[in-house]
Amino acid sequence: MEKRVIRKETLAGIVGELAGKMRVCAPMKAEDEVLFRVLEAGEKPLIEFANAKNAPKNFLFPRTETLLKFTRTGKGMVFAGDQKDGGETLLFGVRPCDARSFTLLDMLFDQEKYRDPYYLDKREKATVVALGCVRPPYTTCFCTSVGGAPLSSEGVDILLTDLGEAYLAEFLTPKGEALREAFGGTPAGEAEEKQKETIATQAAEEIRSRIPAREIKPILDARFEDPFWNTLHQKCLACGTCTYLCPTCHCFDISDEVKRADGIRIRNWDSCMFPMFTKETLGHNPRPSQKERWRQRVMHKFRYYVDNFGAIACVGCGRCVMACPVNLDIRKVVADIAKL
Amino acid sequence: MENVEKKLREEAKRLLSEKKVDVVVGYEAGTLPLTATPCFITTPEETERLVWNPFCVQNLGKFVHDLLNQHHEAQKRVKPEARRKKVVGVVTRGCTSRSLVIQLQEKQYEREEVVILGVPCGGYVDRKKLSALTGGEEIREGSLQDGRISARTWNGEHQAVLKELLADNCLTCRFNRPVLADIEMGEAATAAEAEREYEAVRAFENLPAEERWAYFEKEMAKCIRCCACRNVCPSCYCRICFAEQSQPQWIGIGSDPSDTQLFQLMRMYHMVGRCVDCGSCVAVCPMGVDLRKFLKKLDSDAFELFGHRAGVALEEPAPLGAYRENDREDFIFDPKSGA
């Protein structure tokens, strides 16, 4: 693995130049927010920011995407694929927690038995350049409680660490190596590596928000019917903001939109928080109230995903904590479950 | 404020100890600095959690409706002789009280099913204004003292006078006390500039139609249809919202702009004379859609055409929910003659 030192003032320009050659998605200022979006050629991304409000999952698993087209003809239905090819994509400025979310999504979309070609096509063409967190972006960050770290390299192709005057760039995978020349810089020495290790330890200590995420698994296994669930959801507005901003939430709904003889089959993000999510055709809903929906959200993240894939489906980015309009804080929920 | 909070806790405690209410819906401190969050208190001991401060944002009318509605539904499955009444106590400021009036007018529950704990209100802090104060930086610690808010971020300390951070709807609010209450506490809060209530509406009305439409399109393009606005609204309580009907399907689930526009237009038109301008929809919107611009126009129409202010008195139902022989109708045949 090659390690290089890149001068700080050159980084944004390097990425801006790449934006002329491939599709580059990066955090950009949008009114009062920082949001991931596709850069124009030469456009420079933000380098100094906490994190984007939206998770970068949208570029691998879009909010709405056409799966296929169909036309009714005299001879029956004619089907055609309608996959948009975004081409080689650089996801720049991804925080390590969000990069980890890609490995968690891979577990679901890339299984031996079920492979999701729509996700995988984009995933294979994406190179992830992460900006490590030399200090936790938010007080609500809790990556270290769910298996992550401020300088984690899981799901990362190129990891950038801010050393003060320059970045240490680690080209971790063949996909990352392929971009080594574009990033330039000079070879890194032992001093830079040591400095990075010190930063990694310090940054991890700085994460003060800790939750007993692993400890609640056996409790969840045994407490499906606990009265705790009766009141947990009470203030929830069922808006699903938590699930839309979540880098690991991946539930979707498939729907056909038809105009006369032509139609498209689209897949959209869905959310376990919505009343319609599990509503069946005959009108029955096995999760009739927000109680069952909240239980599902907690169970899915901290129990079922652990059972199915051996990992917690949460990367500790804290987006849901900050964005929930009624401050239903997942950290408090997990802490309360640990007390059961 | 501290006195009101103290009195509130005492009254809530008394009501719960004497079994006058089953639950008190109020606010407790949030997990983030300078926030409060709705809470549901069911035992006298827990009443210490209750707070009353300018970080109490949402209109609690929504929760009163939901709690009672769920109870009524559950009671249908109980033998008549075993049925019981549920009483909800609710921390109520001006706008919340007007929502309760609307729900009572619309016969959602009986008057004796709610105990209204009236509190004076000087307005609440708009999270977006607070965020603008710190330049979008995360607030790591914060405090409110003597009408001044201070917020500490990585970049240092930011300070502002409370009034500068109040939500727009609070700045021109004329309901600093509840219009209906069982127990009232505290002294009346300072009145806001009510005479300026429709200033922003007038300014918007005077823009050319193309500009107004462009603004509508721009705002609607932000909407992700999470429906937090609808779900927090105390006047939006349809059992099945048209937005979720599938036969016929009024609204497509994709990202076509017309679907979003239709959803918001339909919701707004259900709000005529029923919107109390509590600002909850704006406060909870994760995308910062300026819904109030349009809702306030409808509110102003209801006032100008029918002399109606939503939820001000039990005996004055919403204009679209009542019939009077002398109701104005000229604007129906000649839209330009009205507002």
Side-chain angles (χ1 to χ4, degrees):
Chain A
M1 175 187 61
E2 175 112 14
K3 296 183 184 187
R4 296 183 80 84
V5 177
I6 298 170
R7 290 213 330 275
K8 219 168 184 178
E9 65 277 12
T10 60
L11 183 62
I14 293 169
V15 180
E17 206 163 297
L18 278 170
K21 296 174 188 145
M22 61 200 293
R23 186 164 167 258
V24 176
C25 311
M28 294 294 282
K29 196 97 188 146
E31 291 192 15
D32 306 329
E33 318 273 15
V34 174
L35 297 173
F36 273 103
R37 71 163 167 82
V38 179
L39 300 193
E40 307 284 331
E43 208 176 8
K44 289 180 181 175
L46 279 186
I47 302 286
E48 304 278 341
F49 62 95
N51 199 358
K53 185 171 182 175
N54 58 343
K57 72 174 173 186
N58 189 41
F59 300 107
L60 306 181
F61 169 52
R63 197 174 115 200
T64 177
E65 133 179 74
T66 307
L67 303 182
L68 57 91
K69 283 182 185 171
F70 49 85
T71 309
R72 198 172 53 226
T73 67
K75 289 177 189 157
M77 281 288 196
V78 177
F79 297 93
D82 188 31
Q83 231 175 312
K84 282 199 186 67
D85 188 356
E88 292 295 323
T89 300
L90 186 76
L91 295 177
F92 176 81
V94 176
R95 291 293 178 197
C97 53
D98 291 341
R100 260 196 88 224
S101 78
F102 300 148
T103 63
L104 292 166
L105 292 175
D106 291 344
M107 293 172 184
L108 180 97
F109 287 121
D110 188 10
Q111 300 179 51
E112 220 171 293
K113 209 166 156 196
Y114 305 104
R115 301 188 83 240
D116 187 299
Y118 303 94
Y119 171 87
L120 288 175
D121 179 58
K122 294 187 228 3
R123 179 75 170 107
E124 276 151 22
K125 288 175 183 156
T127 306
V128 179
V129 183
L131 270 174
C133 301
V134 295
R135 93 181 166 191
Y138 303 107
T139 51
T140 50
C141 291
F142 60 96
C143 61
T144 51
S145 300
V146 286
L151 289 178
S152 156
S153 59
E154 270 184 78
V156 178
D157 296 304
I158 304 174
L159 177 64
L160 300 170
T161 307
D162 187 347
L163 302 176
E165 299 295 309
Y167 286 97
L168 174 69
E170 296 169 81
F171 298 85
L172 301 158
T173 63
K175 267 198 260 180
E177 292 276 349
L179 286 172
R180 199 181 56 210
E181 266 176 50
F183 275 86
T186 52
E190 227 170 89
E192 281 91 7
E193 277 177 47
K194 269 225 169 98
Q195 200 183 343
K196 187 214 148 183
E197 266 166 42
T198 319
I199 291 172
T201 323
Q202 275 172 357
E205 275 169 21
E206 280 276 331
I207 304 238
R208 300 283 151 75
S209 206
R210 301 213 172 107
I211 63 165
R214 285 200 193 83
E215 291 82 337
I216 64 168
K217 169 73 169 60
I219 302 173
L220 293 175
D221 285 339
R223 305 273 186 145
F224 191 81
E225 298 291 352
D226 199 280
F228 171 77
W229 306 111
N230 293 341
T231 52
L232 166 67
H233 65 282
Q234 277 180 310
K235 63 180 171 180
C236 176
L237 299 176
C239 66
T241 295
C242 48
T243 57
Y244 278 5
L245 295 183
C246 178
T248 66
C249 276
H250 51 255
C251 288
F252 56 79
D253 182 27
I254 292 175
S255 167
D256 288 350
E257 291 202 336
V258 185
K259 257 184 208 157
R260 295 178 208 278
D262 297 309
I264 50 168
R265 175 155 295 176
I266 51 172
R267 147 158 109 176
N268 296 278
W269 288 358
D270 205 344
S271 167
C272 56
M273 294 286 107
F274 295 160
M276 295 292 282
F277 184 61
T278 47
K279 188 154 180 184
E280 295 164 2
T281 317
L282 77 152
H284 173 69
N285 194 339
R287 290 189 206 134
S289 76
Q290 211 58 21
K291 168 190 164 175
E292 293 82 8
R293 295 167 205 147
W294 248 97
R295 181 170 60 194
Q296 167 63 20
R297 177 165 157 78
V298 175
M299 289 280 180
H300 195 180
K301 292 205 171 297
F302 299 97
R303 180 181 168 199
Y304 307 146
Y305 222 72
V306 179
D307 283 338
N308 292 341
F309 305 114
I312 292 170
C314 169
V315 294
C317 67
R319 283 189 179 90
C320 60
V321 178
M322 290 182 282
C324 176
V326 290
N327 184 231
L328 217 173
D329 189 330
I330 193 83
R331 298 172 303 166
K332 188 169 180 296
V333 173
V334 170
D336 286 347
I337 292 171
K339 288 182 214 145
L340 291 179
Chain B
M1 280 296 159
E2 285 89 47
N3 284 338
V4 174
E5 201 171 87
K6 193 163 161 258
K7 185 90 196 303
L8 178 62
R9 290 175 183 172
E10 280 169 18
E11 290 292 347
K13 193 172 203 162
R14 184 181 61 78
L15 289 168
L16 284 161
S17 316
E18 294 174 5
K19 307 238 182 291
K20 294 262 171 61
V21 298
D22 297 279
V23 55
V24 173
V25 187
Y27 305 91
E28 66 180 330
T31 61
L32 302 175
L34 306 178
T35 60
T37 174
C39 69
F40 301 80
I41 307 284
T42 50
T43 63
E45 301 75 52
E46 288 175 297
T47 51
E48 290 306 305
R49 275 162 53 196
L50 286 169
V51 300
W52 177 244
N53 58 42
F55 306 109
C56 301
V57 175
Q58 283 94 0
N59 185 328
L60 300 178
K62 176 237 164 32
F63 299 111
V64 175
H65 179 275
D66 288 3
L67 282 171
L68 288 171
N69 195 264
Q70 281 157 18
H71 179 70
H72 296 161
E73 285 300 309
Q75 290 294 296
K76 286 182 188 165
R77 294 188 291 274
V78 175
K79 282 183 187 155
E81 60 274 18
R83 283 182 193 160
R84 52 174 291 274
K85 208 169 77 180
K86 177 169 185 156
V87 182
V88 177
V90 54
V91 178
T92 304
R93 58 165 164 240
C95 49
T96 313
S97 71
R98 294 168 65 202
S99 291
L100 300 180
V101 166
I102 291 174
Q103 292 173 354
L104 285 164
Q105 284 172 336
E106 295 175 354
K107 309 217 178 332
Q108 291 304 300
Y109 45 82
E110 301 294 330
R111 178 67 182 86
E112 61 268 21
E113 290 176 281
V114 278
V115 174
I116 303 173
L117 294 150
V119 287
C121 179
Y124 60 79
V125 170
D126 180 338
R127 294 303 295 173
K128 286 172 201 91
K129 289 185 187 177
L130 193 54
S131 169
L133 174 72
T134 65
E137 290 279 313
E138 187 203 19
I139 298 168
R140 304 178 71 83
E141 272 172 43
S143 66
L144 167 63
Q145 252 171 353
D146 308 322
R148 285 190 75 80
I149 286 188
S150 68
R152 202 172 58 76
T153 69
W154 276 121
N155 294 340
E157 190 91 8
H158 303 264
Q159 292 213 342
V161 177
L162 172 62
K163 199 172 170 241
E164 289 167 9
L165 300 180
L166 294 182
D168 288 345
N169 55 309
C170 301
L171 291 174
T172 60
C173 174
R174 63 183 75 233
F175 298 93
N176 303 95
R177 292 195 79 82
V179 296
L180 188 67
D182 295 304
I183 303 159
E184 277 214 65
M185 43 209 106
E187 313 214 332
T190 332
E193 296 174 89
E195 68 285 356
R196 303 181 58 186
E197 186 174 9
Y198 296 126
E199 255 179 30
V201 173
R202 292 293 97 83
F204 190 65
E205 280 170 350
N206 288 333
L207 296 175
E210 301 76 45
E211 273 182 50
R212 279 179 277 146
W213 179 250
Y215 189 77
F216 179 74
E217 278 189 318
K218 172 174 93 74
E219 289 303 306
M220 292 308 123
K222 295 182 195 167
C223 173
I224 55 172
R225 269 191 279 149
C226 68
C227 300
C229 50
R230 176 197 69 187
N231 296 359
V232 78
C233 179
S235 288
C236 247
Y237 55 70
C238 287
R239 207 158 290 177
I240 299 172
C241 176
F242 71 91
E244 275 144 18
Q245 281 180 347
S246 53
Q247 284 180 332
Q249 186 179 22
W250 302 100
I251 313 271
I253 67 165
S255 53
D256 192 297
S258 69
D259 285 322
T260 307
Q261 292 167 3
L262 185 67
F263 163 65
Q264 291 288 2
L265 276 174
M266 295 261 284
R267 193 184 96 80
M268 284 181 212
Y269 276 106
H270 284 97
M271 285 297 137
V272 180
R274 302 176 67 242
C275 170
V276 300
D277 197 18
C278 64
S280 294
C281 53
V282 177
V284 300
C285 177
M287 307 312 290
V289 180
D290 182 8
L291 296 165
R292 185 167 180 261
K293 182 78 87 215
F294 312 107
L295 287 164
K296 199 64 191 162
K297 160 67 176 157
L298 296 174
D299 173 51
S300 125
D301 283 357
F303 182 65
E304 267 155 38
L305 297 170
F306 301 97
H308 179 81
R309 283 195 202 282
V312 169
L314 274 172
E315 52 284 355
E316 280 177 42
L320 300 187
Y323 171 73
R324 269 180 260 146
E325 251 181 33
N326 59 351
D327 269 347
R328 281 185 64 174
E329 55 185 15
D330 45 350
F331 64 93
I332 298 171
F333 302 107
D334 179 12
K336 287 199 190 80
S337 73

